[in-house]
Amino acid sequence: MRTVRSAALAVLIAALLLVVILAAVAGLRTKPEDLPWSPLHLSQPVGLFTGRKIVALHDKAAKCEALLTEAGVRFTPAPPIKDGACGYDDGLRFAVGGARRITLAPSAPVMSCPVAAGLAMWEWDIVQPAAQRYLGAPVVAIEQLGTYNCRPIRGSTRTLSEHAGADAIDVSAFRLADGTRITITDEWRGDGPRATFLHTVRNGACKLFATVLSPDYNALHHNHLHLDQAPRGAIGWRACR
């Protein structure tokens, strides 16, 4: 009798697991962005594997640029640079117009194509919705401290920064349409709407970039968010601090 009950229980558990799996598969079929094997489209919502798909665009400049064009992002390719261990061959500058509405200040920095793809989706899916929700006005400009820079990681004498390959951008402030300026330095701490906005865009960036470092990481990042697309492989580790 005990054996029969155990077998019946096992069958019941297997049936329940099958129902759960079928429900999960059915749900994912309506959300292709959550599937690891589905094609990347920058105009789709951010999914579970979007960040990894963007990072995988390294060494695939033509594909990356085609995705930007498909999404309505205007850009100008930058001439390749080779400076010892530094440099890039997939650099580009955002151009005026198109699907993007937020400008960068200073304008037109050179960045790798995967960084550009991450920034475009960050604007559409993270930054603007958070600005409207917490601040009641859209972001019109993002202030940045630099992209390409042939240098090691701060505090290191050997390991090159992702900036050395134009694979990073440092964001220091946001300007709103109503004239408000929100800086990482002044607004990160606290629990008001400005701090909530900054933490929300940091957390959202973690879904799109390989590395996101904020003032929560260390004192070297007290005034900016570091966003990079470090190519650590298809299943490489990701950092969000």
Side-chain angles (χ1 to χ4, degrees), residues 7 27 40 107 177 234:
L40 173 65
S107 63

Side-chain angles (χ1 to χ4, degrees), residues 3 9 11 50 79 93 96 118 122 128 132 159 163 203 224 229:
T3 301
L9 180 60
V11 171
T50 300
R93 302 177 189 269
V96 177
W122 192 48
Q128 293 294 29
Q132 292 287 2
T159 305
H163 287 281
N203 295 342
H224 69 277
Q229 298 291 25

Side-chain angles (χ1 to χ4, degrees), residues 3-239:
T3 301
V4 173
R5 289 179 178 175
S6 297
L9 180 60
V11 171
L12 178 60
I13 293 174
L16 289 174
L17 287 175
L18 180 60
V19 170
V20 171
I21 292 172
L22 290 175
V25 170
L28 287 174
R29 288 181 66 183
T30 65
K31 295 183 177 181
E33 65 273 11
D34 285 339
L35 295 170
W37 55 80
S38 64
L40 173 65
H41 296 284
L42 304 184
S43 58
Q44 288 183 342
V46 178
L48 297 176
F49 294 90
T50 300
R52 295 191 184 281
K53 293 174 185 178
I54 293 176
V55 172
L57 294 173
H58 276 282
D59 301 322
K60 299 175 182 177
K63 179 178 179 179
C64 184
E65 292 179 1
L67 287 171
L68 288 176
T69 300
E70 175 190 56
V73 177
R74 295 182 182 177
F75 61 90
T76 302
I81 284 181
K82 180 64 176 176
D83 181 13
C86 301
Y88 51 81
D89 56 13
D90 63 346
L92 58 82
R93 302 177 189 269
F94 284 133
V96 177
R100 294 183 61 258
R101 295 291 181 268
I102 297 177
T103 62
L104 296 176
S107 63
V110 175
M111 65 191 77
S112 72
C113 190
V115 170
L119 282 176
M121 292 196 72
W122 192 48
E123 171 186 337
W124 300 328
D125 295 272
I126 308 297
V127 174
Q128 293 294 29
Q132 292 287 2
R133 178 178 181 182
Y134 297 110
L135 307 173
V139 173
V140 295
I142 293 175
E143 296 181 18
Q144 53 89 19
L145 302 178
T147 51
Y148 177 67
N149 188 352
C150 185
R151 64 169 176 81
I153 295 173
R154 301 295 186 191
S156 171
T157 58
R158 295 184 178 180
T159 305
L160 282 177
S161 165
E162 292 303 319
H163 287 281
D167 279 327
I169 184 170
D170 291 339
V171 172
S172 60
F174 299 83
R175 300 179 196 166
L176 306 185
D178 62 8
T180 302
R181 181 171 177 266
I182 300 174
T183 69
I184 305 296
T185 301
D186 296 330
E187 311 290 356
W188 183 260
R189 307 299 176 189
D191 56 4
R194 295 186 180 188
T196 301
F197 164 76
L198 291 177
H199 284 78
T200 299
V201 298
R202 186 274 308 272
N203 295 342
C206 296
K207 302 175 183 178
L208 295 167
F209 292 89
T211 310
V212 178
L213 303 177
S214 70
D216 289 345
Y217 179 55
N218 61 20
L220 292 174
H221 296 82
H222 74 280
N223 64 342
H224 69 277
L225 302 178
H226 169 92
L227 314 176
D228 78 43
Q229 298 291 25
R232 304 187 184 103
I235 57 174
W237 60 274
R238 305 173 70 79

